[in-house]
Amino acid sequence: QVQLVESGGGWVQAGGSLRLSCAASGSIYGANALAWYRQAPGKQRECVANILSSHSTNYADSVKGRFIISRDNAKNTVYLQMNSLKPEDTALYWCYLNFDGKNYWGQGTQVTVSS
């Protein structure tokens, strides 16, 4: 069983930056996928960015060029660097891990961007 703990959320003005961190209780080396999801009020949950086992990264169109997902295997941590934040980025953000055929989720961290 792997536990994921997110941190780094908060309030920021439009145009600002935040970095989310997701610390795993176990090794993330060999994970099939690592990802960040978000859900805004009244909207469906969406995948913001992911890193696959091939180490390729993918981003939602809405965040391309602004967000960067990365991993540090030594620290068992996944990051989401969020730049040029917009009010529409306001949402609850979750970390996701697929490892050994199982899905794991963090508890979520709130990001609020004011205009």
Side-chain angles (χ1 to χ4, degrees), residues 92-107:
L92 185 60
Y93 285 72
W94 288 277
C95 177
Y96 165 84
L97 164 70
N98 180 275
F99 188 87
D100 197 25
K102 296 180 181 179
N103 299 318
Y104 300 94
W105 295 89
Q107 82 288 353

Side-chain angles (χ1 to χ4, degrees), residues 73-92:
N73 288 340
K75 296 182 178 180
N76 296 324
T77 300
V78 182
Y79 302 99
L80 185 68
Q81 178 66 43
M82 305 186 295
N83 302 319
S84 301
L85 283 161
K86 304 175 180 180
E88 50 263 44
D89 294 318
T90 294
L92 185 60

Side-chain angles (χ1 to χ4, degrees), residues 1 12 28-29 46 74-75 79 97 106 109 111:
Q1 189 77 5
V12 65
I28 62 172
Y29 182 84
E46 65 170 340
K75 296 182 178 180
Y79 302 99
L97 164 70
T109 186
V111 172

